[in-house]
Amino acid sequence: MTATLAKADASDIVEILQFLAHYVADRSGSIQRIERVLNTGLESASGKNLFAGRFAYLNTCGLSPAQVFDETLATIFNAPGGGQLYVENLKGATGEVALRLGAENEPFGVINVGDDAKLVKLCDENGLSTGEREFSGSLFHQIKQAELDGEPADRFEEVY
């Protein structure tokens, strides 16, 4: 964590969050891209498949691209039913910004940044849904402690 948020770093973070927001919001487009990656790959200008052999496990699972999309929502984003990406400044946890899909779901990620208010403001200015949430303690430390205790990181205690 740094005391300030460099413009280039903020721009990169916002771009990644916009990508995630688009992925979860555009179900049909995301499923089409999953199908392409699994079946035809992504070719470079020279015709080389950049993903050749990278997703062998998924290809052997027998899941459809729609099922892969649904599994990413449930497993990665803690949101089996999907939802809109929310970027939340955690009041009481200086420097932490929580990421969640839908207001009722557990956070799936946390950004530890020096100027949390600045990052949330930039996210808002770039079309992402933002807000603040009362929070006691550190979400980052709760996740880290859960890992040390041998618990799955997505099962930390809700304290807000």
Side-chain angles (χ1 to χ4, degrees):
M1 180 169 80
T2 60
T4 61
L5 180 62
K7 187 174 183 174
D9 292 338
S11 176
D12 290 346
I13 293 168
V14 170
E15 190 172 331
I16 291 166
L17 294 176
Q18 288 174 320
F19 170 81
L20 293 175
H22 182 73
Y23 174 82
V24 300
D26 182 15
R27 178 182 174 81
S28 63
S30 294
I31 290 171
Q32 288 174 355
R33 286 184 288 281
I34 291 168
E35 191 278 327
R36 181 176 171 210
V37 167
L38 292 178
N39 296 322
T40 61
L42 179 64
E43 291 187 1
S44 68
S46 65
K48 179 181 177 184
N49 180 357
L50 300 175
F51 293 135
R54 300 284 186 207
F55 299 104
Y57 174 74
L58 284 176
N59 285 321
T60 63
C61 288
L63 297 174
S64 71
Q67 290 170 314
V68 171
F69 178 80
D70 291 339
E71 285 295 318
T72 62
L73 292 180
T75 305
I76 296 172
F77 296 106
N78 293 331
Q84 181 179 10
L85 176 69
Y86 288 100
V87 179
E88 296 177 324
N89 194 354
L90 298 177
K91 295 172 79 174
T94 303
E96 292 188 16
V97 176
L99 306 174
R100 72 175 63 244
L101 290 191
E104 69 284 351
N105 295 315
E106 290 289 327
F108 68 85
V110 60
I111 300 171
N112 193 350
V113 62
D115 193 341
D116 47 4
K118 181 178 178 181
L119 176 61
V120 172
K121 181 179 179 193
L122 284 170
C123 288
D124 184 57
E125 290 171 354
N126 284 279
L128 295 167
S129 294
T130 63
E132 291 185 340
R133 184 172 290 262
E134 293 297 326
F135 196 79
S136 172
S138 166
L139 180 59
F140 182 78
H141 289 132
Q142 286 180 6
I143 294 169
K144 201 66 171 148
Q145 187 59 49
E147 289 175 359
L148 293 174
D149 293 343
E151 300 172 22
D154 63 342
R155 300 287 181 228
F156 55 89
E157 181 180 333
E158 187 173 340
V159 293
Y160 45 97

